[in-house]
């Protein structure tokens, strides 16, 4: 018999030792078992032709089990044949070369014991036991030397060892860590100072050790090697090979100079905060510190890397738990409010929308008196895309304002709380009117402001103008309603006289107006050009219409009745009128007054308010000449940042855009053509003129108004300035503004004549009015520096002590005595202003004093001495004011202006000096865009300008961080985008880095609901990323900002050819469903187009 036949006719093994005492119920053989058994025989027959493989040596510990198993098999094989066990599968021996076995009957032991017998399971062994994937097969893990901390890799052929930290393997799969390169001082590099050579390589550096040359001792016991990966120090970091270090650091050069806390510092700080919470469980500030530090703990684990979604959710869960624990023990109402807000912010990351809405309802029912909770609730209502309906949002604002109105009346005797509630009222008024305008309801938005101004500024004297008038008293309500329904001109409209005049003399409405008829075209044209039709209608609907006007359309929102706005009227005391003025400037997207309180200036950093670029300015985010920007020679692009944030002084109000930052740069006529914003600047001008005539804002507003008119209506600015001077002939500040208007018009001689007249007028003024004299001198000196040169500026400075000022300075001699005399006058004026607390004028005196020193010092390093003088002034001001006060910021802006003048008027200067000086200013005022723009401009001249990225990451984006680790201002994110878009491709800027900056912005707390930021992101993808990416960003944008109608129009404007008619119809239906304003309906157009197929 052949070997093949013998192999086939082997007896089937019998499991006699597992035979049950009682016979189990018989099992029927499955149909086709015999056929499958024959298939197995064929497989074995074919497999017998394959050469028998050499049996591998088995491990010693398995020998006993293998022997017992084979012994049992030999006992069961005796006396059995294939025919006796045909229903059962045939088990082959260990040496049999079959590839697999087909078992159709199973093992009867499963019925009896419930599982396979352990001896029936063949033993398996890993192939390549001890090897490591990626290394040579000759390298093995030495189990005797390895421990829980280290792996020792042996090479049996060469008898050498290689030790690897286990933490290195634990890092597999994670993003690469950011490495912070430490620059060792040169004095520390040479250990042997007496040596007659300089070593090329540092003796302490670790060179790359090739695997074949490894000769490490297993007993090595350095400090780094004993850093256990489970210790309190955290995971051990794998050593950086010297040959790769430069490559690693160059790939992430933006991390240079960053400060990263060590693991020890993080853990010790966390332990200290936890201990404080345990010892003072009712201390709300301790809880907030511990909760906010969770973000630092997360960032310390992966320095330089953004947290992924899982890590962010895990941190949010931890912080949510801490907030809930804190609320159970903290009793202070101030901290309870902050803890609830933090809890809701973190909960929004973890809960679904329905749960968040229910939680808000419960929180407000339990804490109805916490006003800030209502503002955060409005944030949720305004951004809840799933359940967003504009009428519901309007009702939420109405309800919140009603609660605040009642709260203001309750705390009328508490000055601090009363002022706080008034400020919150104004903030909600601002938010609501901007939201109305962005949703398309411009008429109601403007009408609410007219109601507030008329009710507070033109209230009849009998109603008590200095107190909060009872808004709902029948007499007052009836009188104001009669005024509104009479449709006489209201504030901001031509011919308006106010409620007070109407109540005594009556009035008549203005002449009726007629809107132009708009041609819509065919249905398909209506769909494709819908964004143009809506924009045109929006610009025609900037002001509310009258019932006598012919609007030419059946639009119920064109006419605003008193019943539409009566619930939004605010009654304010006269002491809050300046706050009302600041609120109105923010509504008009105008810069704040210099005297605006810090609590209100924060509104100019709010993402719900700073949507200036939503209706235009897109081109300002792209360099006009990238070649100039790369070489650092561009002197205009640095002033084009769409969102500015700095102290608005006379410099910026009347700035020449080619030489300094202009506060009204984007309100100039050349920018109107690219704007679709439904803001009527003529109406704004009339409102501001009315406020100036009423004396609200004092000289600050008068100067501000002249600068505003000079920028938007330059032809009438001179006439307006003369009219104001006629009413206030002794106002030196108005003279200074008029002179600047003449300078900007190119009339230098006229402007100097105005200055001479004003300076000679000072002798007839009181001491309070004479303070403005230094402002006139400062203006004159800077204008001469920009136009005439340093010689005329120095001579004019030397005439400061002269009582009778003349235009001609040709006879002035520059002598040491004259300089000392001027220095004495300016120093005395500075010290007197400081002693009286007139810090604004103290800054002007200081600036003129420093200009004198700068212009009369002919040494090459005179700029260093000038900057040292500023350092002395900072110390002088710090003795009286905190270092982050407004006078300090004005002084820093003065230094930045002088530094910019020096760099643009000097052939040679030190960029490092400019960098260090601006870095100091940025660290003190990280959101001041003057310092940020100048810093970026200075660094743009270098090919490697990663310092700007590092500054943005370490200082700007980290300047204002909330409890959940996100920046609360939108300015920093706009600047980060602005810088990245203007970086040259040669400096590692590409589409991915720009997209990363956008993603970071829209993922932040402030940028996530910034309609302007989302629009810029969308436009960027349209131009450089492709329409598919732009489509995805579009849907994300409308989900994040469901109230912003301008975002919906982008689909028709930019994606009209990419989207189908069905998709465009879906976008239109979203606008209707969200209850946003629709001027031109498309229902019939879509029906006809779809009907035609």
């Amino acid at each position: 018999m052949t070997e093949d036949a013998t192999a086939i006719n082997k007896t089937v093994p019998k499991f006699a030792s597992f035979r049950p005492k009682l016979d189990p119920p018989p099992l029927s053989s499955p149909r086709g078992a015999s056929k499958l058994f024959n298939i197995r025989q064929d497989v074995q027959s074919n497999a017998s032709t394959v050469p028998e493989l050499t049996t591998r040596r088995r491990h010693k510990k398995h020998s006993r089990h293998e022997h017992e198993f084979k012994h049992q098999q030999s006992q069961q094989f005796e006396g059995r044949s294939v025919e006796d066990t045909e229903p059962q599968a045939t088990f082959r021996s260990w040496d049999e070369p079959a590839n697999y076995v087909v078992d159709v009957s199973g093992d009867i032991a499963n019925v009896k014991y419930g599982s396979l017998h352990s001896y029936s399971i063949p033993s398996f062994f890993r192939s390549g036991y001890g090897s490591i994937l990626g290394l040579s097969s000759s390298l093995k893990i030495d189990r005797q030397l390895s421990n829980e901390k280290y792996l020792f890799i042996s090479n049996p052929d060469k008898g050498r060892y290689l030790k690897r930290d286990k933490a290195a393997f634990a890092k597999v799969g994670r993003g690469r860590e950011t490495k912070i390169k430490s620059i060792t001082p040169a004095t520390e590099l040479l250990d042997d100072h007496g040596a007659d050579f300089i070593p090329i390589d540092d003796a302490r550096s670790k060179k790359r050790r090739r695997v074949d040359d490894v000769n490490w001792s297993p007993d090595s016991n350095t400090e780094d090697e004993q850093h256990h990966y489970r210790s309190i120090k955290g995971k051990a970091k794998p050593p950086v090979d010297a040959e790769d270090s430069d490559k690693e650091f160059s790939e992430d050069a933006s991390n240079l100079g960053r400060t990263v806390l060590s693991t020890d510092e993080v853990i010790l700080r966390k332990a200290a905060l936890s201990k404080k919470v345990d010892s003072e469980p009712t201390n709300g500030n301790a809880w907030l510190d511990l909760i906010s530090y969770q973000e630092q703990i997360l960032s310390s684990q992966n320095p330089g890397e953004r947290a992924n979604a899982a890590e962010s959710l895990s941190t949010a869960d931890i912080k949510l738990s801490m907030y809930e624990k804190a609320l159970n023990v903290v009793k202070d109402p101030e901290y309870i409010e902050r803890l609830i807000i933090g809890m809701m912010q973190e909960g929004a990351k973890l809960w679904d929308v329905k749960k968040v809405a229910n939680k808000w309802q419960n929180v407000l029912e339990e804490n109805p008196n916490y006003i800030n909770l209502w503002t955060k609730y409005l944030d949720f209502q305004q951004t809840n895309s799933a359940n967003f309906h504009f009428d519901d949002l309007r009702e939420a604002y109405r309800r919140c304002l009603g609660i605040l109105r009642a709260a203001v009346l309750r705390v009328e005797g508490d000055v601090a709380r009363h002022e706080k509630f008034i400020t919150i009222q104004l903030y909600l008024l601002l938010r609501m009117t901007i939201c109305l305008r962005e949703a398309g309801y411009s008429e109601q938005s403007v009408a609410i402001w007219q109601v507030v101004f008329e009710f507070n500024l033109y209230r009849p004297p009998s109603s008590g103008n200095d107190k909060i008038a009872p808004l709902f008293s029948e007499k007052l309500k009836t009188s104001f309603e009669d005024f509104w329904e009479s449709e006489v001109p209201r504030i901001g409209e031509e011919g308006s006289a106010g409620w007070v005049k109407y109540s005594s003399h009556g009035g008549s409405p203005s002449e009726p107006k007629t809107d132009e008829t708009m041609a819509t075209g065919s249905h398909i044209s209506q769909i494709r050009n819908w964004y143009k039709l809506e924009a045109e209608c929006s610009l025609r609907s900037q002001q509310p219409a009258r019932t006598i006007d012919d609007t030419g359309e059946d639009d119920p929102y064109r006419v605003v009745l008193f019943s539409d706005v009566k619930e939004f009227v605010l009654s304010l005391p006269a002491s809050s009128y300046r706050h009302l003025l600041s609120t109105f400037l923010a509504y008009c997207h105008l810069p704040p007054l210099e005297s605006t309180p810090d609590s209100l200036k924060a509104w100019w950093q709010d993402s719900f308010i700073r949507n200036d670029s939503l209706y235009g300015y897109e081109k300002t985010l792209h360099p006009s000449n990238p070649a100039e920007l790369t070489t650092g020679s561009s002197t205009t692009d640095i002033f084009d940042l769409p969102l500015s944030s700095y102290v608005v002084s006379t410099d910026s109000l009347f700035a020449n855009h080619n030489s300094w930052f202009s506060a009204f740069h984007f309100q100039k006529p050349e920018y109107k053509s690219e704007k679709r914003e439904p803001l009527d600047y003529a109406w704004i001008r009339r409102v501001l003129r009315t406020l100036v005539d009423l004396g609200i804002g004092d000289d600050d507003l008068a100067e501000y108004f002249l600068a505003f008119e000079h920028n938007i209506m330059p032809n009438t600015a001179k006439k307006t300035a003369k009219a104001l001077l006629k009413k206030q002939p002794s106002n030196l500040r108005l003279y200074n503004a008029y002179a600047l208007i003449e300078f900007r018009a190119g009339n230098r001689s006229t402007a100097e004549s105005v200055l001479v007249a004003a300076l000679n007028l000072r002798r007839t003024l009181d001491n309070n009015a004479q303070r403005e004299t230094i402002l006139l001198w400062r203006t004159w000196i800077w204008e001469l520096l920009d136009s005439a040169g340093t010689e005329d500026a120095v001579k004019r400075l030397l005439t400061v002590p002269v009582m009778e000022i003349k235009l001609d300075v040709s006879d002035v001699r520059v002598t040491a005595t004259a300089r000392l005399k001027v220095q004495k006058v300016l120093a005395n004026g500075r010290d007197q202003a400081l002693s009286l607390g007139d810090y604004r004028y103290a800054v002007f005196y200081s600036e003129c004093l420093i200009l004198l020193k700068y212009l009369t010092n002919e040494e090459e390093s005179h700029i260093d001495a000038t900057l040292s003088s500023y350092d002395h002034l900072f110390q002088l001001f710090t003795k009286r004011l905190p270092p982050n006060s407004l006078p300090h910021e004005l002084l820093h802006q003065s230094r930045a202006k002088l530094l910019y003048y020096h760099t643009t008027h000097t052939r040679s200067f030190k960029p490092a000096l400019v960098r260090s000086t601006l870095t100091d200013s940025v660290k003190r005022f990280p959101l001041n865009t003057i310092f940020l723009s100048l810093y970026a401009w200075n660094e743009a001249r270098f090919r490697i300008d990663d310092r700007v990225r590092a500054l943005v990451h370490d200082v700007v984006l980290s300047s204002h961080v909330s409890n959940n680790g996100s920046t609360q201002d939108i300015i920093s994110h706009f600047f980060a985008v602005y810088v990245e878009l203007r970086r040259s491709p040669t400096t590692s800027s590409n589409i991915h880095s720009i997209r990363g900056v956008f993603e970071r912005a829209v993922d932040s707390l402030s940028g996530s609901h910034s309609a302007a930021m989302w629009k810029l992101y969308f436009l960027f993808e349209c131009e450089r990323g492709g329409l598919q990416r732009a489509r995805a960003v579009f849907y994300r944008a409308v989900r994040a900002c469901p109230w912003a109608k301008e975002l919906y129009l982008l689909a028709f404007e930019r994606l009209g050819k990419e989207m189908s008619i069905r998709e465009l119809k879906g976008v239109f239906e979203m606008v209707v469903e969200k209850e946003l304003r629709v001027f031109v309906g498309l229902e019939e157009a879509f029906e006809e187009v779809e009907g035609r197929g």
Side-chain angles (χ1 to χ4, degrees):
M1 183 179 294
T2 64
E3 293 181 0
D4 293 341
T6 305
I8 295 176
N9 293 327
K10 285 183 179 180
T11 58
V12 179
K14 300 177 180 179
F15 296 92
S17 59
F18 300 106
R19 185 173 301 161
K21 296 179 180 180
L22 298 176
D23 295 335
L27 295 175
S28 59
S29 299
R31 185 179 302 175
S34 144
K35 182 178 180 182
L36 290 174
F37 181 72
N38 293 334
I39 294 175
R40 175 194 173 278
Q41 289 180 330
D42 295 337
V43 172
Q44 288 183 340
S45 298
N46 295 332
S48 63
T49 60
V50 181
E52 185 175 355
L53 299 177
T54 304
T55 306
R56 292 184 176 272
R57 183 177 57 188
R58 304 191 182 280
H59 199 277
K60 293 181 180 180
K61 69 178 183 178
H62 296 282
S63 59
R64 181 175 60 86
H65 298 296
E66 182 180 348
H67 174 73
E68 294 176 357
F69 182 70
K70 287 186 176 181
H71 178 68
Q72 294 176 3
Q73 282 186 327
S74 63
Q75 292 179 351
Q76 296 173 15
F77 288 165
E78 299 176 358
R80 299 291 299 272
S81 64
V82 177
E83 289 78 2
D84 296 336
T85 58
E86 184 174 353
Q88 300 179 359
T90 302
F91 291 86
R92 63 182 178 86
S93 65
W94 290 110
D95 298 330
E96 196 168 354
N99 292 332
Y100 60 89
V101 176
V102 179
D103 186 358
V104 297
S105 61
D107 190 349
I108 197 172
N110 289 335
V111 179
K112 182 176 181 181
Y113 300 106
S115 64
L116 294 175
H117 190 270
S118 59
Y119 290 174
S120 301
I121 304 173
S123 300
F124 295 92
F125 304 94
R126 290 185 295 178
S127 177
Y129 179 77
S131 300
I132 296 179
L133 186 64
L135 295 184
S136 173
S137 59
S138 61
L139 298 175
K140 304 290 183 181
I141 298 175
D142 193 310
R143 299 293 178 181
Q144 294 181 352
L145 296 177
S146 300
N147 53 39
E148 61 181 3
K149 292 186 293 183
Y150 298 104
L151 290 177
F152 285 88
I153 305 171
S154 64
N155 190 338
D157 298 335
K158 297 186 178 182
R160 293 174 180 174
Y161 295 95
L162 175 65
K163 182 168 70 171
R164 293 294 186 192
D165 193 343
K166 279 189 174 181
F169 297 97
K171 285 291 183 183
V172 175
R174 289 191 56 84
R176 199 178 70 195
E177 284 192 277
T178 301
K179 299 174 176 59
I180 309 303
K181 189 172 185 177
S182 176
I183 307 301
T184 307
T187 55
E188 298 180 9
L189 294 177
L190 299 178
D191 293 336
D192 187 0
H193 297 277
D196 56 354
F197 67 93
I198 299 177
I200 296 177
D201 295 321
D202 184 9
R204 292 183 295 271
S205 65
K206 296 182 180 181
K207 296 183 178 180
R208 178 188 293 268
R209 295 171 171 86
R210 296 181 60 87
V211 174
D212 293 340
D213 298 331
V214 175
N215 191 17
W216 287 6
S217 170
D219 299 329
S220 123
N221 192 28
T222 65
E223 180 182 356
D224 292 338
E225 293 168 350
Q226 294 304 317
H227 185 178
H228 197 293
Y229 77 101
R230 291 182 180 175
S231 69
I232 194 174
K233 296 182 179 181
K235 294 180 179 180
K237 303 298 185 295
V240 179
D241 294 331
E243 294 180 8
D244 288 346
S245 60
D246 290 338
K247 178 181 178 181
E248 296 279 357
F249 296 134
S250 65
E251 290 176 353
D252 197 9
S254 63
N255 294 317
L256 294 178
R258 294 183 180 176
T259 302
V260 180
L261 295 178
S262 65
T263 308
D264 288 344
E265 294 174 325
V266 172
I267 292 177
L268 291 176
R269 174 63 175 163
K270 178 184 177 183
L273 293 174
S274 300
K275 184 178 180 180
K276 186 174 182 180
V277 167
D278 293 338
S279 60
E280 304 176 28
T282 60
N283 188 338
N285 194 45
W287 278 104
L288 291 173
D289 290 341
L290 178 61
I291 294 171
S292 63
Y293 198 68
Q294 301 305 309
E295 294 291 338
Q296 182 66 48
I297 296 174
L298 177 61
S299 61
S300 66
Q301 297 175 359
N302 303 288
E305 296 180 8
R306 291 179 58 191
N308 56 40
E311 291 172 334
S312 300
L313 291 178
S314 176
T315 304
D317 191 20
I318 295 172
K319 294 169 70 174
L320 179 61
S321 176
M322 290 183 175
Y323 277 120
E324 292 172 345
K325 291 179 181 179
L327 287 171
N328 291 330
V329 293
V330 176
K331 305 300 180 183
D332 190 339
E334 178 183 355
Y335 288 109
I336 289 177
E337 186 177 40
R338 295 173 61 184
L339 289 170
I340 293 176
I341 292 174
M343 178 189 69
M344 295 305 301
Q345 289 177 347
E346 299 303 324
K349 302 176 183 178
L350 302 170
W351 305 328
D352 55 40
V353 175
K354 185 177 180 180
K355 184 174 181 180
V356 174
N358 293 336
K359 191 70 174 178
W360 268 117
Q361 294 293 337
N362 296 335
V363 165
L364 293 175
E365 289 176 1
E366 296 173 0
N367 307 275
N369 297 324
Y370 291 125
I371 305 301
N372 287 326
L373 284 182
W374 285 96
T375 61
K376 295 301 179 182
Y377 172 67
L378 290 175
D379 292 349
F380 168 72
Q381 283 286 90
Q382 190 166 335
T383 58
N384 181 15
S385 178
N387 301 317
F388 181 86
H389 296 284
F390 195 80
D391 287 344
D392 294 341
L393 177 62
R394 183 160 31 195
E395 175 61 22
Y397 272 110
R398 185 202 63 78
R399 181 184 176 192
C400 190
L401 285 172
I403 294 174
L404 275 169
R405 189 182 297 115
V408 168
L409 293 175
R410 288 198 306 267
V411 298
E412 187 175 356
D414 190 338
V415 178
R417 295 187 65 191
H418 177 262
E419 183 177 354
K420 176 183 176 182
F421 287 171
I422 289 291
T423 302
I424 297 175
Q425 264 189 319
L426 293 174
Y427 174 73
L428 291 184
L429 173 70
L430 174 62
R431 282 276 304 272
M432 181 187 62
T433 51
I434 289 180
C435 183
L436 282 167
R437 184 176 65 204
E438 293 177 355
Y441 301 96
S442 298
E443 300 95 335
Q444 186 176 8
S445 176
V446 170
I448 290 175
W449 276 103
Q450 289 179 324
V451 165
V452 172
F453 277 132
E454 291 283 354
F455 188 85
N456 289 278
L457 304 182
Y458 288 105
R459 186 185 308 158
S462 60
S463 60
N465 200 34
D466 294 331
K467 297 182 180 180
I468 300 179
L471 177 61
F472 292 105
S473 64
E474 286 300 323
K475 182 179 179 181
L476 193 63
K477 178 181 177 181
T478 303
S479 174
F480 190 72
E481 185 175 0
D482 291 342
F483 162 73
W484 188 268
E485 297 297 342
S486 67
E487 296 188 339
V488 298
R490 304 155 190 162
I491 187 171
E493 299 173 358
E494 295 182 1
S496 65
W499 174 25
V500 61
K501 185 175 181 179
Y502 175 81
S503 63
S504 58
H505 298 86
S508 58
S510 57
E511 293 295 326
K513 299 178 181 179
T514 303
D515 291 344
E516 297 180 2
T517 305
M518 183 177 57
T520 58
S522 62
H523 286 159
I524 188 64
S525 177
Q526 287 184 27
I527 296 174
R528 296 298 181 185
N529 298 319
W530 186 59
Y531 70 95
K532 293 182 180 179
L533 300 175
E534 289 292 313
E536 183 178 348
C537 291
S538 178
L539 292 177
R540 292 191 314 174
S541 305
Q542 294 173 340
Q543 302 295 322
R546 305 293 195 273
T547 55
I548 60 177
D549 293 340
D550 183 11
T551 58
E553 55 189 26
D554 186 16
D555 190 346
Y557 301 106
R558 287 288 285 123
V559 178
V560 180
L561 304 177
F562 182 70
S563 59
D564 298 328
V565 295
K566 67 178 182 180
E567 298 293 337
F568 304 109
V569 179
L570 299 183
S571 182
L572 305 172
S575 59
S576 299
Y577 287 170
R578 288 184 68 94
H579 287 11
L580 178 63
L581 169 62
S582 298
T583 309
F584 178 71
L585 294 179
Y587 169 78
C588 299
H589 289 162
L590 297 177
L593 293 172
E594 180 181 335
S595 58
T596 302
D598 292 339
S599 59
L600 273 64
K601 280 186 178 180
W603 298 350
W604 274 263
Q605 302 165 8
D606 193 313
S607 60
F608 290 100
I609 297 172
R610 289 307 301 270
N611 284 327
D612 306 29
S613 57
L614 181 61
Y615 299 95
Y617 316 142
E618 294 89 359
K619 68 179 183 181
T620 60
L621 288 181
H622 303 278
S624 58
N625 190 340
E628 285 186 355
L629 189 64
T630 303
T631 59
S633 60
S634 174
T635 56
T636 57
D637 288 335
I638 60 173
F639 307 125
D640 282 340
L641 184 64
L643 293 188
S644 59
S645 176
Y646 49 79
V647 179
V648 178
S649 61
T650 306
D651 287 342
S652 55
L653 287 175
F654 296 93
N656 183 351
H657 180 62
N658 294 325
S659 60
W660 197 239
F661 298 85
S662 174
F664 298 106
H665 174 54
F666 296 108
Q667 280 73 33
K668 292 185 177 181
E670 55 263 30
Y671 285 91
K672 289 183 179 180
S673 59
E674 66 179 68
K675 291 183 60 180
R676 299 202 300 256
E677 185 173 14
L679 268 177
D680 186 356
Y681 282 106
W683 176 77
I684 297 173
R685 175 191 172 275
R686 289 190 289 267
V687 172
L688 292 179
R689 178 61 187 268
T690 301
L691 298 179
V692 170
D693 293 340
L694 291 174
I696 298 173
D698 302 328
D699 293 346
D700 291 345
L701 181 59
E703 180 189 47
Y704 186 98
F705 170 66
L706 285 178
F708 172 77
E709 183 156 359
H710 167 66
N711 282 276
I712 67 165
M713 301 178 67
N715 296 330
T716 62
K718 298 179 184 179
K719 182 179 179 180
T720 303
K722 293 178 181 179
L724 292 178
L725 281 172
K726 188 175 181 180
K727 293 182 179 180
Q728 305 179 50
S730 61
N731 192 325
L732 295 182
R733 199 165 177 179
L734 290 180
Y735 276 103
N736 182 73
Y738 178 39
L740 283 169
I741 292 174
E742 293 290 355
F743 272 121
R744 296 297 166 264
N747 304 324
R748 176 185 168 187
S749 59
T750 305
E752 289 184 337
S753 299
V754 172
L755 291 175
V756 169
L759 288 171
N760 291 329
L761 183 66
R762 60 184 171 172
R763 293 174 295 178
T764 62
L765 304 178
D766 56 19
N767 293 333
N768 188 41
Q770 288 185 14
R771 296 181 307 169
E772 302 290 350
T773 304
I774 188 60
L775 176 61
L776 299 172
W777 286 115
R778 176 179 175 274
T779 296
W780 204 347
I781 300 306
W782 273 114
E783 292 301 321
L784 290 175
L785 285 175
D786 289 338
S787 59
T790 59
E791 183 178 356
D792 287 353
V794 171
K795 289 183 178 181
R796 182 56 61 188
L797 260 175
L798 296 180
T799 62
V800 169
V802 180
M803 296 303 297
E804 186 69 26
I805 306 300
K806 299 179 181 179
L807 281 175
D808 188 14
V809 291
S810 58
D811 58 341
V812 177
R813 298 291 180 265
V814 182
T815 63
T817 303
R819 290 200 301 266
L820 289 175
K821 189 175 182 179
V822 175
Q823 288 177 5
K824 183 178 180 181
V825 172
L826 294 177
N828 290 338
R830 178 198 64 194
D831 296 339
Q832 183 179 8
L834 284 174
S835 62
L836 295 175
D838 295 332
Y839 299 111
R840 180 173 180 267
Y841 302 103
V843 171
F844 294 157
Y845 276 108
S846 302
E847 186 175 356
C848 291
L849 190 61
I850 289 178
L851 282 174
L852 176 66
K853 184 175 183 178
Y854 171 77
L855 296 174
T856 57
N857 192 334
E858 298 180 355
E859 297 180 3
E860 185 177 354
S861 60
H862 65 291
I863 186 63
D864 299 292
T866 304
L867 295 179
S868 298
S869 300
Y870 272 107
D871 294 335
H872 172 70
L873 285 174
F874 292 144
Q875 296 176 2
L876 188 64
F877 275 67
T878 304
K879 295 178 181 179
R880 303 173 181 269
L881 296 167
N884 60 344
S885 60
L886 184 141
H888 270 90
E889 191 168 2
L890 276 175
L891 205 55
H892 276 267
Q893 289 183 184
S894 169
R895 183 177 68 172
K897 184 175 182 179
L898 180 59
L899 198 61
Y900 176 73
Y901 173 84
H902 176 76
T903 56
T904 53
H905 290 76
T906 306
R907 292 185 177 181
S908 60
F909 64 94
K910 301 176 183 178
L913 179 64
V914 178
R915 180 187 307 120
S916 61
T917 304
L918 292 174
T919 300
D920 174 63
S921 298
V922 170
K923 289 182 178 179
R924 293 182 181 273
F925 305 97
L927 297 182
N928 189 303
T929 53
I930 289 180
F931 309 143
L932 293 173
S933 299
L934 290 178
Y935 186 93
W937 170 77
N938 180 63
E939 294 302 320
R941 67 187 73 251
F942 304 104
R943 289 289 181 179
I944 302 177
D945 57 348
D946 281 321
R947 297 187 188 93
V948 181
R949 279 181 176 170
L951 184 79
V952 170
H953 181 275
D954 293 341
V955 180
V956 181
L957 292 177
S958 303
S959 59
H960 292 79
V961 179
S962 65
N963 285 336
N964 64 356
S966 300
T967 52
Q968 296 181 349
D969 67 274
I970 194 61
I971 302 297
S972 57
H973 291 292
F974 266 101
F975 179 75
V977 171
Y978 170 80
V979 168
E980 195 65 29
L981 281 170
R982 289 169 172 255
R983 287 169 61 89
S984 170
T986 60
T987 55
S988 70
S989 178
N990 52 52
I991 189 173
H992 304 291
S993 63
I994 299 173
R995 184 177 293 123
V997 176
F998 271 115
E999 284 294 335
R1000 176 166 186 167
V1002 297
D1003 286 343
S1004 65
L1005 178 64
S1006 58
S1008 59
H1009 303 297
S1010 171
M1013 179 63 73
W1014 277 109
K1015 180 180 179 180
L1016 292 176
Y1017 189 11
F1018 170 82
L1019 295 176
F1020 164 75
E1021 293 292 0
C1022 284
E1023 296 177 4
R1024 301 180 61 179
L1027 295 181
Q1028 287 296 330
R1029 286 186 176 273
R1031 182 206 296 263
V1033 172
F1034 165 75
Y1035 284 110
R1036 291 173 61 192
V1038 296
R1039 284 196 301 268
C1041 307
W1043 74 92
K1045 178 185 174 183
E1046 182 70 15
L1047 296 180
Y1048 295 90
L1049 296 180
L1050 292 175
F1052 292 83
E1053 179 180 2
R1054 295 291 185 132
L1055 301 177
K1057 297 181 180 179
E1058 177 70 15
M1059 285 184 168
S1060 63
I1061 294 296
R1062 184 180 298 274
E1063 289 176 305
L1064 292 177
K1065 180 182 179 182
V1067 175
F1068 174 77
E1069 289 176 346
M1070 276 197 296
V1071 176
V1072 176
E1073 179 186 358
K1074 304 297 183 184
E1075 298 174 350
L1076 306 183
R1077 179 76 171 277
V1078 174
F1079 293 99
V1080 180
L1082 297 179
E1083 293 84 354
E1084 295 182 1
F1086 281 118
E1087 289 180 3
E1088 180 179 340
V1089 172
E1090 289 179 343
R1092 293 185 302 181

